Amino acid sequence: MANGSSQGPARRQGDGASGGTPGARPTSRDVARVAGVSQATVSLVLGDKWRGRVSVRTAESVRAAASTLGYRPNLAARNLRLGCTRTALLVVPAITNEFFARVYTGAAALAADHGFGVVVYPSPDGIGPAKNPFASARAALDGVIASSMAAKALSDLRDADLPLVMLDSDPSDREAAACVNLDIGDGIHQVADHLLELGHRRFVHLASAIPSWTFDVRARALAEALAGVAGTSLRTVRAPFDVNAARDVVQHALTEPGARATAVVCDSDILAAGACKAVRRLGLSVPGDVSVTGFDDLALSVAVEPEFTTVSLPAERVGERGMSALLALLAGETVSEGDLPVSLVVRGSTAAPSPSSG
């Protein structure tokens, strides 16, 4: 009952097992008092550093006292004394993006295997400067992992002198202690080779409007892949990561004077969804009149009809490699290098251009 009248005599002040306020969490001081030893001895025993300093009998006495009192070490205080928190911060432009969710999954799984936790932090300004969410990042974290951003955007956190691992970011940026990348350029080359083999020569590149290294790589790689093939043309248009915005941009591009493009190469599956809507709005079909390719291989790519031809990215592996790099840095070890491979997945949104396309 609420007033506790049926629970027997009320416990008097000082009757708690800790010898202090009833219900208060027992402390190492309480353990020391019950075991008849110093707090230093308690720290040695419970920190498993007693051998050669404390007798076996005393160690057993301390452990028995801790068990009787229900004492649990304050891990936060212990980590603070040791200068580590076993916590990493993962900074991403947006937590709603499936790619970044999968990166977190990979990082968190490996972190857990090593007794670390990962806190995910969506930057309030996307790829812009990430505000420091901590009063003291150095006291709260052991390191930072950031995906698809520039290292300079992490300057607030870098002021804390924390090791920084960048994912899907410019490898020439010397502010990062380590960089883990996907072979984005090869992914675009695979897309271009596939479309060229089908016979496409007139292309629209639906590029992301976000100014980022990873999207710059895609633009350069596509231009390079088409440059050596006679008779090709490439028009680049940009749109934010929004299906309707992408639809409007592609619709305009496909209705400009001159021969219509037969293939739209998109920087993401989200943009590809908008491109497909534009094609249909014009009374055309995918892939009969216009082939469309995506990038990322999100769940969206197989939730539409036709399913997208797209580039599959091992996002979980990116997160795992990022966490592995951070652990290596913290241990003073060498970080493994080399871009992670990506692969083209051919589905129903691409086909040879129709004879009527000219």
Side-chain angles (χ1 to χ4, degrees), residues 246-268:
R247 177 200 63 201
D248 294 343
V249 167
V250 172
Q251 184 173 340
H252 179 74
L254 293 179
T255 54
E256 289 191 330
R260 187 182 68 235
T262 62
V264 181
V265 179
C266 303
D267 272 359
S268 77

Side-chain angles (χ1 to χ4, degrees), residues 51-275:
R51 293 172 181 80
R53 303 182 185 182
V54 175
S55 69
V56 173
R57 182 176 180 180
T58 298
E60 291 175 348
S61 176
V62 169
R63 284 194 288 264
S67 176
T68 300
L69 294 173
Y71 171 73
R72 296 291 182 274
N74 186 330
L75 294 180
R78 178 178 180 273
N79 287 336
L80 186 60
R81 290 194 302 273
L82 295 175
C84 67
T85 66
R86 305 194 75 77
T87 302
L89 183 71
L90 173 64
V91 186
V92 297
I95 199 171
T96 53
N97 186 294
E98 179 186 332
F99 174 80
F100 299 124
R102 289 165 53 197
V103 168
Y104 167 77
T105 298
L110 183 65
D113 289 343
H114 291 80
F116 268 71
V118 177
V119 178
V120 64
Y121 175 51
S123 174
D125 295 319
I127 66 167
K131 300 175 179 64
N132 190 338
F134 302 97
S136 173
R138 189 58 175 148
L141 304 168
D142 282 337
V144 178
I145 305 170
S147 181
S148 309
M149 304 174 72
K152 63 183 180 182
L154 283 300
S155 59
D156 277 1
L157 288 166
R158 292 293 293 138
D159 288 343
D161 194 30
L162 292 167
L164 173 63
V165 176
M166 301 300 297
L167 314 178
D168 191 29
S169 301
D170 189 350
S172 66
D173 195 332
R174 298 306 177 189
E175 293 187 44
C179 190
V180 175
N181 276 331
L182 296 152
D183 199 344
I184 297 296
D186 181 61
I188 286 292
H189 274 277
Q190 291 181 51
V191 170
D193 290 346
H194 168 65
L195 293 171
L196 289 169
E197 288 175 5
L198 288 173
H200 293 278
R201 293 297 181 269
R202 298 192 299 275
F203 297 84
V204 166
H205 177 203
L206 179 54
S208 167
I210 299 172
S212 172
W213 173 85
T214 187
F215 297 123
D216 290 343
V217 169
R218 297 169 211 219
R220 287 196 302 270
L222 183 58
E224 291 169 359
L226 301 183
V229 181
T232 59
S233 64
L234 174 63
R235 169 170 168 70
T236 299
V237 295
R238 299 184 182 279
F241 271 11
D242 177 82
V243 172
N244 291 334
R247 177 200 63 201
D248 294 343
V249 167
V250 172
Q251 184 173 340
H252 179 74
L254 293 179
T255 54
E256 289 191 330
R260 187 182 68 235
T262 62
V264 181
V265 179
C266 303
D267 272 359
S268 77
D269 293 337
I270 294 172
L271 295 179

